[in-house]
Amino acid sequence: MKNLSTYIAYPGTTQEAFEHYRDVFGGELSIVKYGDMPPMEGMPFEPDPDAVAHATLTLPGGTITGSDQMPGETYAVKDTIYSLLYGFDDVEEARACLTKLVEAGGAVNMSFELAPWGDHYGTVFDKFGVMWAFTVPAAEETGN
């Protein structure tokens, strides 16, 4: 079965981030640390056994995957052109998730409100620097 998933490399905060996302959105979380895996021959670095090798959060409507950055990597999560777009069919449910991200240390980037094209739309940076965009298409709106 084909599946497209977002993969984010965090600067050592993958477990905290994915547990937070599970608390906000629900879903099933799987975290594998390097110490949980058998030794891997030919690795270009010695992994920290407590570092996250792979995390998967399967949530209603999609999957988020990620890991801790490898030593020497300097990816920036915040201030990139990327965001995660999460579509809902209920305005209040979308607003509740956005509010949870903000209350946990995130910041509103664009208020969640009725957009000129007729959908509810808004964006927030979570406390890990990931930008989330929330949308509720006008044709699907309930809970106004």
Side-chain angles (χ1 to χ4, degrees):
M1 180 169 94
K2 293 180 182 178
N3 182 34
L4 179 63
S5 178
T6 298
Y7 199 97
I8 303 171
Y10 294 82
T13 58
T14 303
Q15 182 165 347
E16 181 185 358
F18 274 70
E19 288 172 351
H20 175 60
Y21 300 149
R22 181 196 53 211
D23 293 346
V24 171
F25 302 112
E28 298 214 10
L29 177 60
S30 169
I31 294 178
V32 177
K33 295 183 177 183
Y34 284 103
D36 299 331
M37 301 168 34
M40 295 182 284
E41 297 288 326
M43 287 287 286
F45 64 93
E46 182 65 33
D48 177 343
D50 291 327
V52 174
H54 186 73
T56 303
L57 178 62
T58 304
L59 44 89
T63 303
I64 305 169
T65 53
S67 65
D68 287 330
Q69 294 175 354
M70 293 184 196
E73 292 179 336
T74 56
Y75 301 132
V77 176
K78 190 165 183 182
D79 298 327
T80 66
I81 61 171
Y82 302 103
S83 65
L84 302 178
L85 177 63
Y86 203 179
F88 289 81
D89 59 4
D90 181 86
V91 171
E92 293 310 315
E93 182 181 9
R95 191 180 320 276
C97 288
L98 188 143
T99 298
K100 286 179 187 177
L101 290 174
V102 171
E103 288 177 348
V108 173
N109 186 53
M110 175 188 268
S111 295
F112 183 72
E113 56 191 43
L114 194 60
W117 58 89
D119 299 344
H120 271 83
Y121 181 84
T123 61
V124 61
F125 280 101
D126 69 24
K127 66 182 177 179
F128 303 99
V130 175
M131 187 167 91
W132 292 83
F134 293 90
T135 185
V136 180
E140 297 180 20
E141 287 183 14
T142 60
N144 287 319

